[in-house]
Structures are given as structure tokens and as C-alpha cells.
Amino acid sequence: MKSEREELDELEKKWMSRMTSFTTPVPTPEDTLDLIARVKEQAQKPEKQAEVAPSDHQTGGWMDLIISQWSFYGMRSWLMSAGWMICFSLMIGAQSITIVPKDEAGVFWIQAVTLTIVLSIAYTFRPQNEGMAMLERLSVYSLAAQTFVRLCMVMGFQWILAIPFSFVIPGLDNGWLFLWQWTIPLFFFAVITFVMAERWGMGASLSVSLMIWGGQWFARKVLPEVSLMVQTEELSFRPVQLVSLVVAFLLLGAWYISQRRREI
């Protein structure tokens, strides 16, 4: 009986006789330098493409980002948002013109349009499922750019819808002045709702925004100097309007800086 060691030795001899051996050539110094140059060339190509891609993408302008947001959320979602704002705007506009007393029509419109933008932001920025959130993170656009453009789309659409009512609401002597009087509160409440939703979620944001809106509505009778929901014939900004603009821009700036740091 052959031992296991002897059987392994015989198998090794058989396989060694069937295998051919060869010697690899030793690379010359020129070959080594040529290989290093090729590796460097291949490593630099992705970097150049990465440097070129953002600039090419930026030249496409904001319109590409707007189209991407429209496509991302689908026409049905945006049309539902638009339909809600159109119906509500027409309803409060009709009430301002026909039902509300002339001396209160402008104030009612400011109250209604600010409430509309709060609810519109809440609907547009409602929590998405995990799949949608993942697609947003994988987009070629930054999250800050995507959400900011979405905010501008909602505010812009609401502003365009509301412009005609600035010139048909009764009891107004200066439609352009009234346009500014409700545009500033609209911008303020939109930013407040948006920034808080990005920071603490839509539930907390909607609650706080409605509390601020209710406080402003209450202040118009008790302390009109600090209320944005007041119609005035003065041809200059009121202090509360300037303060609200500063607060809104500071909140937007703080949100943008925090988003950029998070993405970096």
C-alpha cells in the first residue's frame, strides 16, 4: 500500500510534466516610464470631465432645473397644486369684490392670499416616500437648488394668479401700492413655512406658520403697527414690512448655508 505522501509525489510529477513553463520579460526603464504616463493620463480624464460637467450644466440655466422639478413630481401633482391655488384665489377674489365691505376688501385679500401660500407650500413640500427622497439625493442638482426652485415655482405661480385682483378689488386707489402690500406678506409667510419645514418637518412648520398668521390677523385690530395684514395709502414701506423682508432673507440665507455645509 502506497502512503498518501507517495501518491501526492507521483501526482505532482505527472502534472509538472504536462505544464509548460515560461519566463516573463523584465520591463525596461522606458517601459516603466511609459506605463506610469498612461496611468496618469487615465487618472486625469475623470477629473477633467468632472470639472467640465458642472460648468456645462450651469450654462443650461435655471430652466432645466425647473423642467426637472416639473417632471420629477409629475404633471398630475403640479396641476392639482395649481388647481387648488386657482380655485382658492378666484373664491377669495370674488368675495373681496362682491361680499366683503369695500373698506375691508384689501385687508381680507391680504389675509386670504397669505393663508393660501402657507397651505400651498405645505402641500407642495409634503413628506415624500423614501424612493422619492433617494431620487432627489441622486439627482445631478443639489438638494438646495431643487427645493429652492420648487419654492420659487409655488410663490411665482401664486403671485401671477393674484396680480389681477390688485387692480379690481374695490376701495383701492393705487393698485401698484396694494400689489407691494400683499407681495411682502406672501413672501414672508412662504419663506417662514418653507424654512421651518426643511428644518423641523411639515407638521411643526404648518402649526407655527398658522400661529404666526393668526397672531398677525389678531394684531391688525389690537396693534396694527406690527401687523402685515393692514391696508394703507402711504407711499412708503412701513417698518414692519422692512423687518419682515430682512427676517425672510436672513432665514433663506441661513437655510442655504446649512444646506451647502450638509452637502459638502
Side-chain angles (χ1 to χ4, degrees), residues 123-194:
Y123 176 78
T124 307
F125 288 86
R126 63 193 183 279
Q128 301 293 329
N129 56 48
E130 186 61 29
M132 297 285 281
M134 181 64 69
L135 288 176
E136 281 187 335
R137 291 192 291 268
L138 294 176
S139 173
V140 296
Y141 302 99
S142 65
L143 284 174
Q146 293 180 68
T147 52
F148 179 74
V149 165
R150 207 181 316 153
L151 172 67
C152 292
M153 291 171 69
V154 177
M155 283 196 302
F157 192 77
Q158 177 65 22
W159 187 73
I160 293 172
L161 282 176
I163 283 180
F165 294 102
S166 296
F167 302 94
V168 298
I169 293 178
L172 300 178
D173 298 328
N174 191 330
W176 291 107
L177 174 61
F178 183 63
L179 176 64
W180 282 108
Q181 288 178 346
W182 64 257
T183 295
I184 293 174
L186 182 144
F187 177 72
F188 172 76
F189 277 99
V191 171
I192 288 288
T193 308
F194 165 74

Side-chain angles (χ1 to χ4, degrees), residues 78-95 108-109 112 116 120 157-158 161-162 165:
W78 282 110
L79 288 180
M80 289 179 64
S81 302
W84 143 257
M85 286 190 286
I86 290 173
C87 293
F88 200 73
S89 298
L90 291 175
M91 181 181 66
I92 60 180
Q95 289 182 350
F108 174 78
W109 173 255
T116 304
S120 299
F157 192 77
Q158 177 65 22
L161 282 176
F165 294 102

Side-chain angles (χ1 to χ4, degrees), residues 213-257:
W213 183 89
Q216 287 285 299
W217 178 84
F218 181 75
R220 73 185 180 92
K221 293 291 187 181
V222 179
L223 195 62
E225 293 80 7
V226 299
S227 177
L228 292 170
M229 301 178 185
V230 175
Q231 180 185 339
T232 175
E233 295 300 328
E234 297 178 3
L235 296 178
S236 60
F237 284 113
R238 298 165 58 231
V240 67
Q241 293 175 324
L242 292 176
V243 171
S244 64
L245 281 177
V246 171
V247 170
F249 280 113
L250 288 177
L251 286 174
L252 271 181
W255 165 80
Y256 180 78
I257 292 173

